[in-house]
């Protein structure tokens, strides 16, 4: 019997079958390691994130809690649990990364109680929104008689513009401090969810995103921040909306603090050319002395208004859908002379309005320097006080 050849040429059936096989690219691999091309990693030229670190670990045990108490004083008054003495020692580790319009914090600490009192608010310019993603431990926080409990994986949301108090066990937590202006358009919405636990799919996605940001903190640069801040902001807004509901048990529970009411009025009347200290005092119902005290750390209320108008102008210039002339944007920001607007804008952001507008439409935008916190203001308290500038 004739044996059919195993070669393709001598086997018609094999030839027909091979014609239907998918054609796989044959690759030639280098014979030696010298021929292997290593991937080229181009390092970013943008500066790394500004950060601050505080720890009680290297302090004498009897000094540890008082150091922590002094460090946290701009926000809250902290106290030891009843069965713990100062000489027993207190571990706390607190690292802050400055995101420009947001502070990202990783905190570990022993158990303590905390309070942000009405008396403290009377002299505090800080009314930021505050979000906590608890990694471990538990906390109980009370606002106007309503207590919420947070545990591992839960996201709590509240304002520093209203009194609260509570206690926590030994914990690890990720915190965000965000200025009022970042959510000025949602002030009414957020007012009804103060001291709430965000829940549902959107809250889970927010927690997962924050975990990813935390993981990449060592490699993030200033160029990454605007997109990250905007993403977090939008996720918080979307996560808060499902939590909005009338509170029949405490219908008058959440009232704006003085600083919050002033901020609310300013941001809703930012483009009013008649926005003056006198008008603010009359509308909000506070004295000029009190108003000046609140904005002393901002360089005065008029300086604060000017900076917020410039910030609004910057955001307008970055909006691809906005085609207003720079002169019109300048007038909206309260500048009748375009040259004065350009000078103030450039001093504030280190770039001219025309360059921001031109950069938006460029096929390869030039990097614009992100404002780094002033070296003279490198402290947690000053970062908090100047976060809204």
């Amino acid at each position: 019997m004739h044996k059919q050849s195993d070669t393709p040429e001598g086997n018609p059936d094999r030839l027909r079958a091979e014609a239907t096989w998918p054609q796989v690219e044959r690759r030639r691999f280098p014979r030696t390691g010298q021929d292997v091309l290593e991937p080229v990693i181009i390092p970013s030229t943008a500066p790394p994130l500004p950060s601050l670190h505080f720890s009680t670990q290297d302090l004498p045990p009897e000094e540890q809690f008082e150091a922590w108490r002094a460090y946290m004083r701009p926000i809250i008054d902290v106290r030891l649990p009843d069965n713990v003495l100062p000489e027993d020692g207190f571990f706390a580790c607190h690292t802050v990364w400055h995101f420009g319009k947001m502070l990202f914090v990783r905190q570990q600490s022993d158990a303590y109680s905390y309070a942000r009192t009405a008396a403290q608010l009377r002299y505090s310019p800080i009314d930021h929104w505050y979000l906590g993603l608890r990694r471990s431990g538990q906390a109980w926080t009370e606002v106007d008689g309503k207590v919420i409990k947070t545990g591992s994986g839960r996201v709590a949301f509240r304002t520093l513009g209203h009194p609260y108090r509570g206690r926590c066990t030994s914990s690890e937590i990720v915190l965000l401090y965000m200025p009022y202006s970042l959510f000025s358009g949602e002030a009414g919405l957020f007012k009804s969810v103060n001291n709430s636990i965000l829940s549902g799919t959107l809250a889970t996605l927010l927690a997962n995103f924050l975990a990813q940001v935390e993981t990449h903190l060592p490699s993030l640069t200033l160029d990454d921040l605007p997109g990250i801040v905007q993403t977090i902001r939008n996720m918080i807004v979307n996560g808060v909306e499902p939590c909005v509901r009338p509170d029949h048990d405490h219908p008058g529970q959440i009232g704006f603090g003085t600083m919050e009411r002033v901020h609310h009025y300013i941001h809703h009347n930012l483009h009013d050319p008649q926005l003056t200290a006198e008008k603010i005092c009359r509308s909000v119902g506070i004295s000029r002395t009190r108003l000046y005290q609140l904005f002393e750390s901002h360089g005065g209320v008029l300086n604060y208004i000017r900076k917020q108008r410039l910030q609004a102008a910057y955001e307008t210039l970055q909006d691809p859908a906005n085609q207003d002339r720079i002169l019109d944007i300048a007038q909206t920001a309260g500048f009748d002379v375009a040259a004065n607007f350009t000078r103030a804008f450039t001093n504030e952001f280190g770039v001219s309005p025309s360059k921001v507008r031109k950069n938006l439409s460029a096929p390869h935008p030039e990097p614009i320097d992100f404002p780094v916190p002033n070296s003279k203001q490198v402290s947690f308290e000053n970062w908090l006080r100047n976060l809204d500038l």
Side-chain angles (χ1 to χ4, degrees):
M1 180 182 293
H2 175 70
K3 185 178 181 181
Q4 194 175 37
S5 171
D6 287 335
T7 64
E9 292 79 4
N11 190 337
D13 292 335
R14 183 176 173 184
L15 284 172
R16 284 191 295 272
E18 286 187 354
T20 62
W21 291 351
Q23 299 300 306
V24 179
E25 179 185 359
R26 297 179 182 272
R27 298 188 178 181
R28 297 179 181 269
F29 292 95
R31 295 178 182 273
T32 67
Q34 294 177 348
D35 299 323
V36 178
L37 296 177
E38 296 291 338
V40 177
I41 300 175
I42 302 175
S44 172
T45 58
L49 304 190
S51 62
L52 295 172
H53 180 73
F54 169 86
S55 176
T56 63
Q57 188 170 8
D58 296 329
L59 296 174
E62 65 275 11
E63 297 179 9
Q64 290 176 345
F65 183 74
E66 281 306 315
W68 173 244
R69 190 175 189 182
Y71 185 80
M72 295 302 293
R73 188 168 289 124
I75 306 176
I76 51 177
D77 179 41
V78 298
R79 297 181 184 276
L80 286 169
D82 292 339
N83 59 340
V84 179
L85 299 175
E87 51 267 30
D88 294 333
F90 184 88
F91 173 76
C93 181
H94 188 276
T95 305
V96 190
W97 288 267
H98 204 302
F99 280 22
K101 294 293 288 183
M102 187 180 293
L103 298 183
F104 189 104
V105 177
R106 181 191 292 148
Q107 176 182 307
Q108 294 174 276
S109 74
D110 289 337
Y112 64 93
S113 63
Y114 49 87
R116 184 162 175 83
T117 66
Q120 186 176 15
L121 286 173
R122 281 198 290 271
Y123 299 99
S124 174
I126 300 170
D127 64 344
H128 307 328
W129 297 105
Y130 153 78
L131 181 144
L133 169 59
R134 194 162 292 277
R135 298 285 189 218
S136 65
Q138 295 180 322
W140 295 261
T141 305
E142 179 261 324
V143 173
D144 291 340
K146 182 179 179 180
V147 179
I148 65 165
K149 176 184 175 181
T150 54
S152 179
R154 306 299 296 276
V155 179
F157 186 79
R158 65 180 60 91
T159 176
L160 297 177
H162 193 84
Y164 65 87
R165 64 178 181 173
R167 63 184 179 89
C168 65
T169 64
S170 179
S171 304
E172 181 176 352
I173 187 171
V174 169
L175 305 167
L176 295 179
Y177 294 100
M178 302 159 287
Y180 183 91
S181 59
L182 192 63
F183 301 101
S184 57
E186 289 80 21
L189 171 70
F190 283 10
K191 179 182 177 183
S192 64
V193 296
N194 183 31
N195 201 36
S196 294
I197 300 293
L198 306 190
S199 59
T201 302
L202 294 176
T204 301
L205 291 174
L206 171 61
N208 291 340
F209 184 74
L210 293 179
Q212 287 297 312
V213 171
E214 183 182 10
T215 299
H216 289 85
L217 281 170
S219 60
L220 293 181
T221 68
L222 297 181
D223 287 346
D224 301 318
L225 296 185
I228 291 175
V229 169
Q230 188 63 33
T231 299
I232 293 176
R233 179 206 175 279
N234 293 342
M235 294 184 80
I236 290 175
V237 172
N238 292 329
V240 160
E241 285 180 344
C243 301
V244 177
R245 61 185 180 278
D247 191 335
H248 301 292
D249 296 327
H250 303 279
Q253 171 183 299
I254 307 302
F256 282 153
T258 302
M259 190 63 168
E260 252 187 321
R261 287 188 288 114
V262 174
H263 272 170
H264 183 78
Y265 183 82
I266 289 175
H267 285 278
H268 281 267
N269 296 274
L270 196 58
H271 300 308
D272 179 1
Q274 304 303 318
L275 184 60
T276 61
E278 291 80 3
K279 189 171 184 179
I280 294 170
C281 292
R282 187 168 59 251
S283 301
V284 177
I286 62 173
S287 67
R288 289 173 63 95
T289 300
R290 181 77 183 97
L291 181 67
Y292 293 154
Q293 286 175 343
L294 289 174
F295 286 89
E296 183 178 359
S297 64
H298 295 284
V301 63
L302 296 182
N303 186 58
Y304 175 83
I305 292 171
R306 174 180 167 276
K307 285 179 175 289
Q308 294 305 314
R309 284 173 170 169
L310 287 172
Q311 181 64 41
Y314 188 98
E315 293 170 1
T316 299
L317 288 166
Q318 284 193 311
D319 182 1
N322 189 285
Q323 299 299 319
D324 290 349
R325 298 180 305 163
I326 291 179
L327 176 60
D328 296 332
I329 295 173
Q331 291 176 341
T332 302
F335 294 84
D336 294 330
V337 181
N340 292 342
F341 171 70
T342 298
R343 187 180 304 109
F345 190 96
T346 304
N347 288 339
E348 184 70 18
F349 302 109
V351 62
S352 68
S354 59
K355 184 174 181 180
V356 173
R357 172 62 61 81
K358 182 180 178 180
N359 199 58
L360 187 66
S361 58
H364 302 289
E366 300 177 24
I368 295 177
D369 291 337
F370 192 84
V372 179
N374 191 308
S375 60
K376 295 180 180 179
Q377 299 176 336
V378 179
S379 74
F380 181 46
E381 179 176 2
N382 282 325
W383 277 9
L384 282 168
R385 287 177 175 268
N386 293 283
L387 191 57
D388 206 24
L389 297 183

